[in-house]
Amino acid sequence: MRLHRLDITAFGPFGGSQSVDFDALSTAGLFLLHGPTGAGKTSVLDAVCYALYGAVPGARQSGQGMSLRSDHAEPRTRTEVRLDLTVAGRRLEITRQPPWERPKLRGKGTTVDKAQTWLREYDSVAGAWKDRSRSHQEVGEEITQLLGMSREQFCQVVLLPQGDFARFLRADAEARGRLLGRLFDTQRFADVEKRLAERRRGTEARVREGDTALLADAHRMQQEAGDAMELPELAPGDPGLAEAVLAAAAVARSTARERLTVADCRLTAAESAHAAARRALDDVRELARLQSRFTQARQRAERLQERAGAHREAQERMERSRKAEAVAPALELREHAEEEHGRAARAEARARGMLPAAQADADATGLATAARRAAEELGGLDSARRAEQRLAALGEERAGLDRQERADEDVLREADAWLDGWDTTRAALQTRVDSAQEAATRAEQLAVQRDPMRRRLTAARTRDALAADLEQAQQRALASEQRALDARAHWLDLKEQRLNGIAAELAAHLTDGEPCAVCGATEHPAPARKIAGHVGREAEEQAHRTSQQADRQHAEDERRLGTVREALAAATAEAGDAPTARLAAEADRLEQEYTRARREASALHAAHEELRRAEQEREQRLADRQQTAVRAASRLTRRETLEREQGQLEAELTQARGEADSVAARAAQLERQVALCTDAADAARAADDAAQRLKDADARLADAAYRAGFDTPQAAAAALLDATAHRELQLRLDAWQSEESAVRAMLAEADTAAAAQQPPADLATAERTAATADRRLREAASARDAADRCRAELDRLSARATEAVRRLAPLREEYDRVARLAALTAGTSADNERKMRLESYVLAARLEQVAAAATVRLRRMSSGRYTLVHSDDRSGRGRSGLGLHVVDAWTGRERDTATLSGGETFFASLALALGLADVVTDEAGGVRLDTLFIDEGFGSLDDQTLDEVLDVLDSLRERDRSVGIVSHVADLRRRIHAQLEVVKGRSGSALRQRGV
């Protein structure tokens, strides 16, 4: 990589545009970048790094973006960095513009532009630059790929920073490992360590999970086996756990089988004793049953003997009841006939009581004759009844004609009165329609004028309000502008005072024996002192923040002023110059006229509807008057017809009514007479028939009682039993017979009689003996079942444990292998004697290469005295592998790099930086680095050592390299002719090239 040209605009301390011609500076091979403290020497290197990676090095990378912009730049000057370089045989031009806050092109205020990036490549064939990309990501990936280094590597290899390698030289193994890890990208080895640790934890968790399940099965086997199994005192993951569990399970299974055999023998003996006890119990129970049966039979025979007299009486009562059953039909017939005769006599008395006195004593024949004559007279009244109904209908029809005539007269009178005023009504309604139509037209015209007037009035009121706001906004803008100018002047004054006293501020941090951050000297004979009124960093930064806040407030006030002006101009254009009061009065007048016109126009539809309804009513009333005349003529004809028919019907009805009030009343009299006579005749004939049947029933009953052997019918009736009494008596007789037969049979049984001759059976003793045998049998069976279940469960759990151990065997092997590898790479294994992690081992190899490359230049710088060597010894309790020692050829002894003096530390760290640059370059794929920058403290070297260091740096030109030294040491300006000077001033820093 070779740098050709760098263009900087408004970047860091450079307020304007500055250019660096690296081709001219590189001609001499070695050039000096110098200038006062704070002028911006490091900012040149920051610009190179920002052009390549879009970020600045080290701690300065925080607060990127708009903070890269120079405070000295003009507001409309865009911050830009352009770098022309050759890398990997390609000529490229990179241009980057960070985001910046610029004034708006129109109006007041500021706006933020996004960051921009351009990548161009020079086409040697066409002789012109060609655009390659404008994407931040694409450009970054392209540059990183071509250089083969990240930003951190570039800053360590190309921009050798102040003090970093001196700290690296003195650092412990951990700090040295962090730096080397960033430079050589050993993350993949750390990932291997992490991956192995994760696999170890994963397999360990799976093994522990399997062992936990195995122990759970072992505990269940112990619960089943009881004291026959003892578990090993091992935890999940412990070696030998599986073998111990399987051995304990085998012992438990053997013990369980022995217990099962013993339980089988005890069960067989208990079954035999139980069977004998059951047989003896059955025999005693049978004897007790037979003896009890014989005793019960003797007791039942004695009870039968006691009830023998009652049994004979019941037999006699049943015999008399059977004889009386032959008389029962005649008794029922006589009772039925007596009931019918009583009902018929009572019905005849009721019927005769309703007849007239003249007919009350007549017989059935006379009553039938009277009913026939009344029925004949009733049949002749049908025609008179129809005539009477027709006469009533004629009266109703005549009344309806009268009502219709009166209604028509009312309709005709009302229609004539309404039609007489029709012309006046129609004229009034038409006038209302015309007035409403005119009001609607006027409302439309006023609506067109009203909306513009409203807008003018609103704009006038806004104009008046904004006129007052404009004056206040102008005053605020002028006041904030003055405050911003005062704050900026105050900040610039404080900044100038601080720069004038910066030496005292730097001297405040000096410590005897420690190198100066500016010149690198470890002795400080006359440090500057702060004078009265010294301005520190906090005061300057506070003034700067106050100035920026005042600028932002002024920009905000200007923006508000512009907004008020724009709004006032718009309101004035809308409202004109007319006063607001006059516009308000005109708007009120238009609003009142519009409201009145709308109110009058709202009656237009109602007026149209009322006129239409009036015309419809007129047509209806004319039609009603015509129909009324037609109905009057029709009524006159119909009334004459009805009067003739009514006269004829009245003459006919007078003859048919006789003395009754009406034909219906006469018919009702005749119908009642027919019904009474008929009912009385029927009741008389029914009473005669019932008396004859009662007489016949008495004769048959007396004959049946004599034939059955009874003296009188009453005696037969007394002997007769009803169904319930007969059934109860029969049940008593049957029960006696059954009980007598059963007792005789029981007393005749041979085994029962034989059992009665033996001693009483001892059932309680036999039952206790059988219960004891039954209990012993259940206990033996339960013990045998428990032993069998224990044996089966132990077999099942043992088989499952064996299968689990078989499945876990490959996993255990994998865990052992991964655990050994993880411990080895993590440096915790006993096989790793130096306790080195894998990443540390790789970095140790890289550090050994760096030490070898640095030793080549360190020998020349130290006149062959010092050699850097890598050490893998452990320091204290830490891990080994990243130690760095220096070998002193004068003493022949190896010592720690922290024992070097300030100047020795400088050229040793410089040699280390150059060696590291060579190794990182080879690691990055051999990308050639033709331009290097060294930002180190050369002030700590004496003249001879400085000459030797410069010789080493000058030797870098042998490979066509150019080396830039960043320093403010005055002696280097005499020794190095090609110089790039940074000059600072109140308006910003500037760059000057000398000796080229």
Side-chain angles (χ1 to χ4, degrees):
M1 179 196 73
R2 177 179 292 277
L3 305 183
H4 299 293
R5 184 179 180 85
L6 175 67
D7 295 322
I8 306 173
T9 302
F11 183 87
F14 305 103
S17 297
Q18 303 293 328
S19 298
V20 180
D21 187 356
F22 286 109
D23 287 337
L25 292 173
S26 301
T27 302
L30 191 66
F31 64 91
L32 177 66
L33 175 59
H34 69 93
T37 300
K41 301 185 294 298
T42 306
S43 297
V44 176
L45 308 184
D46 290 348
V48 173
C49 184
Y50 180 74
L52 291 173
Y53 294 98
V56 296
R60 299 187 297 280
Q61 64 181 317
S62 60
Q64 292 186 35
M66 291 184 289
S67 63
L68 298 176
R69 179 173 174 79
S70 175
D71 294 332
H72 303 283
E74 293 296 328
R76 295 189 178 275
T77 301
R78 178 75 187 256
T79 302
E80 181 180 274
V81 177
R82 180 181 293 109
L83 179 63
D84 181 6
L85 75 160
T86 298
V87 58
R90 297 171 61 183
R91 182 75 175 267
L92 302 176
E93 181 187 80
I94 308 171
T95 303
R96 292 187 186 270
Q97 295 178 348
W100 73 305
E101 185 177 4
R102 63 169 178 81
K104 292 183 178 179
L105 299 179
R106 292 185 295 275
K108 301 294 183 180
T110 60
T111 184
V112 177
D113 284 348
K114 297 181 179 179
Q116 302 289 333
T117 302
W118 294 272
L119 176 63
R120 298 198 303 168
E121 183 175 3
Y122 184 75
D123 188 350
S124 59
V125 178
W129 291 93
K130 293 185 178 180
D131 292 334
R132 292 303 182 191
S133 177
R134 293 176 65 90
S135 169
H136 301 296
Q137 183 178 0
E138 290 179 359
V139 173
E141 292 176 354
E142 181 74 13
I143 296 302
T144 302
Q145 182 177 2
L146 290 174
L147 292 177
M149 291 181 286
S150 64
R151 179 174 60 86
E152 291 77 7
Q153 291 175 320
F154 179 83
C155 294
Q156 292 290 342
V157 173
V158 179
L159 309 178
L160 305 182
Q162 293 181 1
D164 279 7
F165 281 96
R167 286 190 295 271
F168 177 80
L169 197 64
R170 296 190 179 99
D172 57 11
E174 294 294 334
R176 197 172 287 140
R178 286 194 296 271
L179 176 62
L180 293 175
R182 291 197 303 271
L183 292 177
F184 292 105
D185 190 19
T186 58
Q187 183 62 37
R188 61 186 182 275
F189 300 103
D191 291 341
V192 170
E193 295 179 27
K194 182 179 179 181
R195 176 59 179 164
L196 286 173
E198 290 176 352
R199 285 192 60 187
R200 179 188 60 77
R201 288 191 296 270
T203 53
E204 182 180 8
R206 289 163 59 192
V207 168
R208 287 181 178 274
E209 182 180 356
D211 284 349
T212 300
L214 182 62
L215 277 177
D217 289 340
H219 284 297
R220 283 194 289 271
M221 284 190 284
Q222 187 181 35
Q223 292 174 358
E224 290 292 336
D227 56 358
M229 180 176 180
E230 294 183 1
L231 287 180
E233 296 294 333
L234 296 175
D238 291 348
L241 174 66
E243 293 77 5
V245 170
L246 293 181
V251 173
R253 289 198 307 274
S254 176
T255 304
R257 288 189 174 87
E258 293 176 357
R259 290 177 177 177
L260 179 59
T261 303
V262 172
D264 284 333
C265 296
R266 290 178 178 175
L267 178 60
T268 302
E271 287 176 347
S272 300
H274 178 265
R278 294 301 301 181
R279 288 194 297 271
L281 178 61
D282 292 340
D283 294 342
V284 172
R285 283 177 176 172
E286 180 63 19
L287 177 61
R289 184 186 68 80
L290 293 176
Q291 290 177 348
S292 175
R293 181 179 177 83
F294 182 81
T295 302
Q296 291 175 2
R298 294 293 299 273
Q299 293 173 354
R300 289 165 65 183
E302 293 174 356
R303 286 195 296 270
L304 287 176
Q305 186 64 32
E306 293 174 357
R307 297 198 303 268
H311 176 62
R312 286 191 294 271
E313 292 177 359
Q315 287 178 334
E316 293 175 358
R317 183 74 176 88
M318 179 62 71
E319 183 63 26
R320 287 176 57 81
S321 175
R322 290 193 182 97
K323 292 179 179 180
E325 288 176 358
V327 186
L331 286 171
E332 293 177 359
L333 181 61
R334 199 273 175 190
E335 290 175 358
H336 182 64
E338 187 177 7
E339 291 176 359
E340 286 185 353
H341 179 265
R343 286 195 298 270
R346 288 190 297 271
E348 181 182 8
R350 285 195 302 272
R352 289 182 181 273
M354 300 176 66
L355 291 174
Q359 297 175 350
D361 296 331
D363 56 4
T365 303
L367 293 173
T369 301
R372 186 171 56 254
R373 286 196 302 267
E376 291 174 355
E377 184 179 356
L378 179 61
L381 291 179
D382 290 341
S383 61
R385 188 181 293 109
R386 288 192 296 272
E388 186 177 34
Q389 294 173 352
R390 176 58 181 163
L391 182 61
L394 291 177
E396 292 177 359
E397 186 173 357
R398 288 190 64 182
L401 291 175
D402 293 340
R403 287 193 301 272
Q404 186 179 19
E405 183 177 5
R406 288 192 298 272
D408 286 346
E409 290 175 354
D410 294 340
V411 170
L412 183 60
R413 184 168 53 255
E414 184 181 356
D416 291 340
W418 192 89
L419 290 173
D420 290 342
W422 163 246
D423 294 335
T424 303
T425 302
R426 186 179 186 284
L429 292 175
Q430 187 63 44
T431 301
R432 287 178 58 190
V433 170
D434 296 340
S435 298
Q437 185 65 48
E438 292 176 0
T441 303
R442 188 166 63 258
E444 293 177 357
Q445 295 172 353
L446 291 173
V448 175
Q449 302 174 14
R450 186 183 63 160
D451 292 339
M453 180 55 67
R454 283 182 174 177
R455 290 194 295 272
R456 287 190 64 193
L457 177 59
T458 303
R461 290 171 177 167
T462 305
R463 176 197 62 195
D464 296 344
L466 291 175
D469 295 342
L470 178 63
E471 184 176 357
Q472 297 177 0
Q474 289 175 342
Q475 293 175 357
R476 285 196 298 270
L478 291 174
S480 63
E481 181 180 11
Q482 185 61 41
R483 287 194 297 272
L485 292 175
D486 295 343
R488 185 171 181 83
H490 178 64
W491 168 59
L492 292 176
D493 291 341
L494 292 181
K495 184 175 183 180
E496 185 175 3
Q497 294 177 24
R498 184 188 175 215
L499 291 176
N500 292 333
I502 195 70
E505 184 176 336
L506 294 175
H509 301 286
L510 293 177
T511 304
D512 292 339
E514 295 294 331
C516 174
V518 178
C519 63
T522 58
E523 297 179 358
H524 320 293
R529 297 287 184 264
K530 293 183 180 179
I531 62 176
H534 174 74
V535 178
R537 172 180 292 181
E538 294 78 5
E540 181 197 349
E541 291 178 350
Q542 179 62 34
H544 189 200
R545 289 193 294 270
T546 304
S547 175
Q548 290 177 335
Q549 178 64 28
D551 289 339
R552 288 193 293 271
Q553 183 62 41
H554 174 59
E556 178 63 21
D557 292 341
E558 287 290 340
R559 183 188 64 77
R560 293 177 180 173
L561 178 59
T563 302
V564 173
R565 284 174 175 169
E566 293 176 359
L568 179 59
T572 304
E574 178 72 21
D577 297 330
T580 304
R582 190 177 69 188
L583 293 176
E586 182 66 21
D588 292 340
R589 183 186 61 78
L590 285 175
E591 187 67 28
Q592 293 174 2
E593 293 182 1
Y594 175 74
T595 302
R596 186 169 53 256
R598 284 290 303 273
R599 186 172 57 253
E600 294 175 359
S602 63
L604 177 60
H605 178 70
H608 273 299
E609 287 296 319
E610 190 172 354
L611 177 59
R612 182 182 59 80
R613 288 195 298 270
E615 289 176 348
Q616 291 178 352
E617 186 174 359
R618 176 177 175 274
E619 295 296 333
Q620 182 64 36
R621 290 183 181 275
L622 290 174
D624 292 343
R625 188 166 62 180
Q626 183 178 2
Q627 292 176 2
T628 300
V630 173
R631 287 197 298 270
S634 176
R635 279 196 302 274
L636 181 60
T637 303
R638 181 59 179 167
R639 186 177 283 111
E640 293 175 354
T641 303
L642 293 177
E643 287 177 354
R644 287 194 301 271
E645 185 178 358
Q646 185 177 5
Q648 295 173 0
L649 292 175
E650 287 178 350
E652 181 180 350
L653 287 176
T654 300
Q655 182 181 359
R657 283 196 299 266
E659 296 179 357
D661 294 335
S662 63
V663 175
R666 178 59 180 166
Q669 293 176 356
L670 293 175
E671 290 176 352
R672 179 175 176 77
Q673 184 178 356
V674 170
L676 292 176
C677 292
T678 302
D679 291 342
D682 293 339
R685 284 193 293 270
D688 293 341
D689 294 340
Q692 185 61 41
R693 286 195 296 274
L694 178 59
K695 184 179 179 180
D696 295 339
D698 287 338
R700 284 196 294 272
L701 176 58
D703 183 61
Y706 176 77
R707 291 178 180 274
F710 293 99
D711 296 337
T712 61
Q714 289 76 14
L720 187 63
L721 297 174
D722 57 14
T724 302
H726 185 276
R727 185 169 56 257
E728 292 177 355
L729 183 59
Q730 187 63 49
L731 290 175
R732 284 159 52 192
L733 295 174
D734 293 341
W736 172 273
Q737 186 66 35
S738 299
E739 179 69 8
E740 185 182 21
S741 299
V743 169
R744 289 177 180 176
M746 291 170 62
L747 293 176
E749 293 175 356
D751 52 353
T752 303
Q757 302 299 322
Q758 296 182 11
D762 190 359
L763 183 60
T765 301
E767 288 178 347
R768 285 194 298 271
T769 303
T772 301
D774 187 63
R775 176 177 56 78
R776 291 175 178 174
L777 176 61
R778 287 195 303 271
E779 292 174 353
S782 177
R784 193 270 176 197
D785 293 341
D788 187 56
R789 284 195 303 270
C790 178
R791 189 266 312 161
E793 184 66 13
L794 288 176
D795 289 345
R796 184 184 67 82
L797 292 175
S798 296
R800 190 165 73 175
T802 303
E803 179 62 21
V805 170
R806 185 189 62 79
R807 289 197 308 269
L808 281 175
L811 184 61
R812 289 183 187 277
E813 294 176 1
E814 180 185 359
Y815 168 67
D816 294 339
R817 182 173 61 256
V818 172
R820 285 195 302 272
L821 288 176
L824 187 63
T825 57
T828 59
S829 174
D831 297 335
N832 192 336
E833 297 179 355
R834 298 188 179 276
K835 304 300 181 182
M836 292 180 64
R837 295 172 46 240
L838 177 62
E839 184 181 13
S840 300
Y841 179 78
V842 176
L843 291 178
R846 293 289 186 269
L847 182 59
E848 190 173 1
Q849 296 174 357
V850 171
T855 297
V856 176
R857 295 183 177 88
L858 181 59
R859 284 179 176 275
R860 292 183 58 186
M861 294 180 186
S862 62
S863 301
R865 179 179 179 182
Y866 294 117
T867 302
L868 283 175
V869 295
H870 161 253
S871 173
D872 54 7
D873 294 334
R874 297 180 62 182
S875 58
R877 299 179 62 185
R879 296 177 183 175
S880 60
L882 296 180
L884 194 62
H885 292 171
V886 62
V887 178
D888 190 347
W890 291 0
T891 63
R893 300 188 64 178
E894 180 179 325
R895 55 192 173 98
D896 193 271
T897 55
T899 61
L900 296 174
S901 66
E904 292 171 342
T905 300
F906 165 70
F907 62 69
S909 62
L910 178 60
L912 185 65
L914 294 175
L916 182 64
D918 292 340
V919 175
V920 172
T921 300
D922 296 339
E923 178 75 12
V927 176
R928 182 178 176 83
L929 302 178
D930 297 320
T931 304
L932 296 177
F933 293 92
I934 301 176
D935 192 359
E936 287 286 352
F938 287 85
S940 61
L941 304 178
D942 56 28
D943 293 341
Q944 180 181 356
T945 306
L946 182 61
D947 290 337
E948 292 174 351
V949 170
L950 292 179
D951 289 342
V952 173
L953 295 178
D954 191 59
S955 67
L956 296 176
R957 293 185 300 170
E958 297 174 359
R959 290 191 285 179
D960 198 20
R961 278 183 177 175
S962 62
V963 179
I965 299 176
V966 182
S967 178
H968 55 72
V969 177
D971 192 41
L972 289 177
R973 303 175 196 171
R974 177 180 56 80
R975 297 171 180 268
I976 303 176
H977 300 288
Q979 300 177 8
L980 177 63
E981 182 181 6
V982 183
V983 182
K984 69 176 180 178
R986 289 182 62 88
S987 60
S989 299
L991 297 175
R992 298 175 185 174
Q993 294 187 199
R994 301 179 183 276
V996 294

